Amino acid sequence: MNLTYPRGLRLCWIVLAGLTALAAPPTASSAEPAIANGGFESGLTGWRPLYTREPQTGQIVVDTQDPHSGKSAVKLTHTGEKDWSLDTAAPLPVAAGDLIELSAWVKIDGTGNVNLAVSTWGADRKVIAWSFGNRTTRAGADWQELRSRFVVPPGVVAIQPRLLGGGPLTAWIDDVVLVRKENVFARRPKNFPTELRMSNAALEVTLHTADGTLDVFDRRAQRRWTQRNLDHDTILKTATVVGDRLDLELFHAASGLDVTARIQLDADRPEFTVVLSAEGPLPARMVFPQPFAGEPGDYLVVPMNEGISYPVDDASIPPMSLIAYGGHGICMAFWGLTDGKKGQMAILETADDASIRMDRIEQKLAIAPVWEAQRGQFGYARRVRYAFFDQGGHVAMAKRYRAYAQQTGLFKTLEEKGRANPNVERLLGAVNVWCWDKDAVAIARELQAAGIQRILWSNRQGPEGIAAMNALGILTSRYDIYQDVMDPAKFPRLRYVHPDWTSAAWPKDIITDAAGRPTKGWGVEAKDGTMIDCGVICDLRATAYARERIPTELATHKYLGRFIDTTTAAPWHECYDPAHPMTRTQSRQAKMDLLRYVSEDNHLVTGCETGHDASVPYLHFFEGMMSLGSYRVPDSGRRMQEIWTEVPERVAKFQLGQAYRLPLWELVFHDCTVSYWYWGDYNNKLPALWDKRDLFNVLYGVPPMFMFDRKYWNANKARFVQSYQNTCPVVHDVATAEMTDHRFLTANRDVQETTYANGISVTVNFGATSHRLPTGETVAAMGYVVRGRR
């Protein structure tokens, strides 16, 4: 049975069919199951026909061969790439505050997914949300339970249970059960005040007890910052105000946990902290506090890699989640909201099991913190700090985070690192060169003869080549990795065997999940074209392999540097192997121990992929910090050498988009590390954008990256020299200086300026026409002006 029709007609049909079910909701909660024929013992009675977005791509039949229980289940086959849904026949009346438990058993074959959720309905008989309380699962040979637990939010009078998904699959579904447990609003005390307040000299903080949201009035800025509900799983049961502190008792419906929250207002600063504590399992993520909503003209400040801004009313930005515990998320544990001057930021002071969720509320983007389980448990107390600014915008936020980094041991300057390892000086203003030509020394000499003097040579060489390059003043380095490891039994199937795989780690030292399955690492193409996944070394074991490899190699290969792939790009992992169990916190500590060992014990100028602030004390450079991870060219990590002659729209708009990018990392850590583009996203990757990349390099005070072979170098020698000369001399002069300011000089952000603590400033014009500065100087189109150089 399959039915395909326009969404609007489908909605009208469901509404008309369910009119009688939308009568007044029950006055008391019931523990009786609310779904008739959830086990499909009566066929498809009580269920609507299967909906598929693409015509004739789905079929559903009763299956009696392998039910989860009873005599029958349903078998759903979907061949399309888009979505499908299977809904109960009619909405069920509910009341705000009802605690609902919804479950289903599913078995999946294929690449698609199955989700369990409800649609929610308002008193106007219109859908509020199509997939509220959503839980998802993917392929599994055995029956697995999908379970959702949620509280009905205010404004919802009915819900309609549904299974939905997308992609090709065959799914068996059985035992769909919905139980109304209680009404949690009944837990609230009688005569509960609608608002509670506390204040200091700068802020007045109001707690709205109906939904647990805050609003904050900043007396200095005369602006009120108001939270809106993004997630309805966390319910306020009771609260009290004690001087400059709010004590809250919360109920997290998705996990059933009682959670205490303490909101502590700072006595002297325009800041407050929120600390959450609980004991027990955390099977679903917890969102709290709720996000502060922006106004038209505001933009979100997000430290995705180097940094990006998202206008809250920009409809082109999709919702997203970004982890705080790895480089492919937020690289510093904060986010913010600003109009360019007045602002509000949040600092995740416990970031190891946290992420941020960006979604739309009333058509505007907003960000909330998300707390994840520590090996299945709520674990330690979770802490987030909120700070408010009457001026300074994103720069003020970055400087507040710089102070936080200094206070918490995340800060160590290049000058300090250089005193411990004089070879750090070779890194300053050095172009990062990835060259695959065998006669590397000859090409290096050509580069220097052409004027490209300061070089980080990243590709491995033999002992003689390394010695020759060291004598030329080049910073010699090579690639290394202590994450991915392939099962040696699969080597005969592969096109190549990576020389840096630590094969001895298989299988005793790899990460396994709670079900005992190996965590999947990098996929490697087999001879037959299929992909075979690596495993991942448990971080607790990684440093031991580095100790075996690096000193032995350095005895004959006198490298001055080393690039450790993936360690800061990959997330902090959990491991469930009983021989080396690991939390994400232990993973972070072990990763940092590896990087400390490489850089300090072996006296190597050390870099890592993408970057994360946890590693700043141990590392000197990052490959990929300049390249926003979500906006690189497709498959950039595999097809590194491919030159793109056409520019993808999202690369032009975001990756090289002056209207969106922010130098957040440089505002915090410019004098601590050196940032490069990603090795699949280098300066000459897209020749049409080469000039623009050079402008970002000189504006941000960071060196370029080149990738080429002999043929490409010979054909483009003059352009490489131009790129180096346009960037590296200025970059060298600001390399160890704090970036003190970043300003937009035009409303469209085409003209921008950065300032450094040593008095140098750089003004860049990304626009198509020249721009006249107040000083009388003219910045040419796609040009720049530097002031303050000696």
Side-chain angles (χ1 to χ4, degrees):
M1 183 186 298
N2 170 234
L3 189 60
T4 304
Y5 32 67
R7 192 71 162 187
L9 292 177
R10 177 173 181 263
L11 172 58
C12 292
W13 178 36
I14 295 175
V15 170
L16 292 172
L19 285 178
T20 57
L22 290 177
T27 57
S29 296
S30 167
E32 293 300 318
I35 297 178
N37 193 35
F40 303 101
E41 299 302 302
S42 300
L44 289 166
T45 302
W47 294 85
R48 299 221 172 268
L50 176 68
Y51 162 80
T52 61
R53 179 80 58 181
E54 300 158 285
Q56 306 303 315
T57 57
Q59 183 181 33
I60 189 167
V61 297
V62 176
D63 183 82
T64 59
Q65 298 301 309
D66 185 25
H68 175 257
S69 69
K71 296 181 180 180
S72 60
V74 292
K75 179 181 178 181
L76 186 155
T77 303
H78 184 247
T79 58
E81 294 294 333
K82 297 183 179 179
D83 58 301
W84 57 266
S85 65
L86 176 66
D87 299 72
T88 55
L92 304 171
V94 292
D98 280 353
L99 176 61
I100 304 295
E101 288 187 354
L102 177 65
S103 61
W105 286 85
V106 297
K107 185 171 62 170
I108 305 171
D109 180 22
T111 59
N113 62 81
V114 175
N115 302 268
L116 177 67
V118 298
S119 54
T120 57
W121 300 71
D124 59 359
R125 307 184 190 279
K126 293 182 179 179
V127 170
I128 298 172
W130 280 109
S131 55
F132 187 81
N134 183 68
R135 298 293 182 267
T136 187
T137 190
R138 292 186 178 273
D142 297 325
W143 285 99
Q144 51 190 315
E145 186 181 28
L146 273 174
R147 179 174 290 274
S148 178
R149 181 183 171 104
F150 58 87
V151 171
V152 175
V156 173
V157 301
I159 59 175
Q160 189 162 16
R162 59 201 313 250
L163 291 113
L164 61 158
L169 54 69
T170 300
W172 290 260
I173 303 168
D174 202 358
D175 295 332
V176 185
V177 176
L178 183 147
V179 178
R180 188 183 292 109
K181 302 294 289 185
E182 62 170 311
N183 191 287
V184 298
F185 291 167
R187 299 187 182 192
R188 292 176 173 171
K190 293 181 179 180
N191 303 317
F192 195 24
T194 58
E195 294 180 347
L196 294 172
R197 288 188 175 87
M198 61 181 180
S199 63
N200 64 12
L203 304 179
E204 182 181 81
V205 181
T206 302
L207 171 68
H208 300 280
T209 60
D211 58 5
T213 61
L214 301 171
D215 74 50
V216 178
F217 181 68
D218 187 336
R219 295 188 176 99
R220 305 159 307 155
Q222 290 293 296
R223 172 154 179 179
R224 187 174 300 278
W225 303 91
T226 302
Q227 290 183 345
R228 292 285 185 265
N229 253 307
L230 179 63
D231 176 276
H232 297 274
D233 273 347
T234 303
I235 307 301
L236 177 64
K237 296 188 298 181
T238 186
T240 56
V241 59
V242 183
D244 57 1
R245 190 183 78 235
L246 284 165
D247 292 332
L248 285 62
E249 297 294 329
L250 307 171
F251 175 68
H252 185 234
S255 64
L257 279 181
D258 290 316
V259 181
T260 63
R262 173 167 289 187
I263 305 176
Q264 180 68 59
L265 187 61
D266 193 282
D268 303 314
R269 294 182 294 188
E271 301 183 5
F272 62 83
T273 55
V274 180
V275 180
L276 303 174
S277 302
E279 294 183 0
L282 186 65
R285 297 173 176 182
M286 180 178 180
V287 175
F288 191 86
Q290 298 299 326
F292 285 98
E295 299 175 356
D298 290 349
Y299 59 90
L300 295 172
V301 177
V302 183
M304 174 199 293
N305 305 113
E306 181 65 60
I308 194 166
S309 63
Y310 290 124
V312 298
D313 48 5
D314 189 334
S316 71
I317 311 298
M320 66 181 75
S321 292
L322 297 168
I323 62 171
Y325 48 88
H328 287 306
I330 52 174
C331 297
M332 298 178 285
F334 78 90
W335 73 93
L337 173 67
T338 181
D339 62 5
K341 295 181 180 179
K342 304 169 187 177
Q344 168 272 319
M345 75 178 295
I347 299 175
L348 293 167
E349 296 190 353
T350 52
D352 287 344
D353 299 282
S355 58
I356 64 172
R357 175 182 166 192
M358 186 174 77
D359 213 329
R360 281 191 169 76
I361 301 175
E362 299 173 359
Q363 305 304 311
K364 297 182 184 68
L365 292 170
I367 293 177
V370 180
W371 307 107
E372 303 180 21
Q374 183 189 49
R375 280 176 50 92
Q377 299 293 307
F378 189 94
Y380 55 92
R382 312 304 179 94
R383 182 181 177 99
V384 58
R385 176 179 296 273
Y386 289 86
F388 298 81
F389 305 91
D390 60 344
Q391 59 185 346
H394 66 271
V395 175
M397 296 176 195
K399 295 308 174 184
R400 177 64 185 92
Y401 194 77
R402 180 180 171 94
Y404 171 77
Q406 290 169 328
Q407 293 162 2
T408 55
L410 296 177
F411 196 88
K412 189 174 183 180
T413 67
L414 286 166
E415 288 185 345
E416 293 178 85
K417 296 169 185 176
R419 287 193 289 269
N421 183 351
N423 290 318
V424 170
E425 197 280 331
R426 298 190 182 208
L427 178 68
L428 308 181
V431 60
N432 190 342
V433 173
W434 283 95
C435 176
W436 312 104
D437 198 86
K438 292 182 179 179
D439 192 3
V441 175
I443 289 186
R445 288 196 172 105
E446 286 186 35
L447 264 67
Q448 291 192 324
I452 301 176
Q453 292 292 324
R454 303 185 67 84
I455 301 169
L456 164 61
W457 193 272
S458 290
N459 200 14
R460 71 175 72 205
Q461 301 295 317
E464 296 80 10
I466 296 169
M469 286 192 179
N470 288 343
L472 294 171
I474 292 171
L475 178 58
T476 52
S477 180
R478 69 95 140 183
Y479 174 100
D480 202 356
I481 186 170
Y482 298 95
Q483 173 162 294
D484 295 310
V485 57
M486 177 61 72
D487 179 358
K490 296 178 179 177
F491 284 0
R493 296 176 54 193
L494 302 179
R495 296 180 185 274
Y496 74 95
V497 175
H498 199 294
D500 293 316
W501 283 338
T502 50
S503 300
W506 189 280
K508 60 184 177 67
D509 287 335
I510 64 171
I511 294 175
T512 58
D513 64 17
R517 296 168 298 199
T519 294
K520 292 182 179 181
W522 186 251
V524 179
E525 187 175 4
K527 295 174 182 176
D528 61 2
T530 60
M531 301 299 289
I532 301 176
D533 292 319
C534 287
V536 176
I537 300 174
C538 182
D539 296 307
L540 296 176
R541 300 293 204 236
T543 303
Y545 290 100
R547 290 182 185 277
E548 292 178 4
R549 174 182 296 167
I550 295 175
T552 301
E553 182 184 53
L554 290 179
T556 56
H557 295 65
K558 305 296 184 179
Y559 288 109
L560 304 180
R562 208 168 191 93
F563 172 70
I564 307 299
D565 197 14
T566 74
T567 296
T568 54
W572 318 155
H573 290 288
E574 292 184 334
C575 183
Y576 290 81
D577 189 307
H580 40 83
M582 180 176 66
T583 64
R584 290 193 186 99
T585 297
Q586 292 169 325
S587 171
R588 170 179 55 79
Q589 293 167 342
K591 284 172 180 274
M592 297 311 109
D593 183 61
L594 168 65
L595 299 177
R596 183 207 57 76
Y597 170 73
V598 176
S599 65
E600 296 180 6
D601 289 13
N602 291 282
H603 305 288
L604 294 171
V605 177
T606 306
C608 205
E609 183 189 356
T610 301
H612 192 281
D613 63 6
S615 63
V616 168
Y618 315 106
L619 292 180
H620 305 92
F621 68 94
F622 295 107
E623 288 194 8
M625 183 60 72
M626 281 290 287
S627 298
L628 310 180
S630 299
Y631 305 115
R632 300 169 185 173
V633 297
D635 218 9
S636 59
R638 296 182 186 277
R639 298 156 58 189
M640 293 94 68
Q641 292 180 262
E642 180 179 346
I643 301 298
W644 283 61
T645 56
E646 296 185 7
V647 179
E649 179 183 1
R650 60 192 282 108
V651 175
K653 181 175 181 178
F654 296 110
Q655 186 70 273
L656 277 297
Q658 68 271 18
Y660 290 93
R661 289 189 66 117
L662 296 175
L664 298 177
W665 183 270
E666 306 313 319
L667 284 163
V668 180
F669 292 121
H670 182 268
D671 51 341
C672 296
T673 61
V674 174
S675 301
Y676 290 103
W677 301 97
Y678 180 60
W679 74 341
D681 186 52
Y682 39 88
N683 285 64
N684 57 295
K685 179 73 173 182
L686 297 101
L689 296 178
W690 196 338
D691 289 340
K692 199 168 189 181
R693 284 193 197 268
D694 289 353
L695 289 179
F696 274 113
N697 280 114
V698 73
L699 180 67
Y700 288 9
V702 297
M705 175 188 283
F706 302 155
M707 184 176 288
F708 54 77
D709 55 18
R710 163 64 72 177
K711 181 179 179 181
Y712 197 83
W713 161 251
N714 287 339
N716 297 275
K717 184 183 301 185
R719 184 62 187 86
F720 282 115
V721 172
Q722 175 191 341
S723 182
Y724 177 89
Q725 296 294 350
N726 282 346
T727 58
C728 288
V730 177
V731 170
H732 177 267
D733 288 354
V734 300
T736 60
E738 175 189 353
M739 180 188 284
T740 56
D741 198 11
H742 168 252
R743 295 191 301 151
F744 302 116
L745 302 187
T746 57
N748 63 5
R749 300 189 177 185
D750 279 356
V751 185
Q752 301 184 22
E753 182 178 84
T754 51
T755 307
Y756 297 87
N758 61 359
I760 294 176
S761 65
V762 179
T763 305
V764 163
N765 181 4
F766 294 104
T769 59
S770 62
H771 177 80
R772 187 175 179 85
L773 298 173
T775 60
E777 295 172 283
T778 297
V779 189
M782 293 299 290
Y784 67 92
V785 170
V786 180
R787 294 179 298 279
R789 289 183 71 194
R790 295 181 179 86

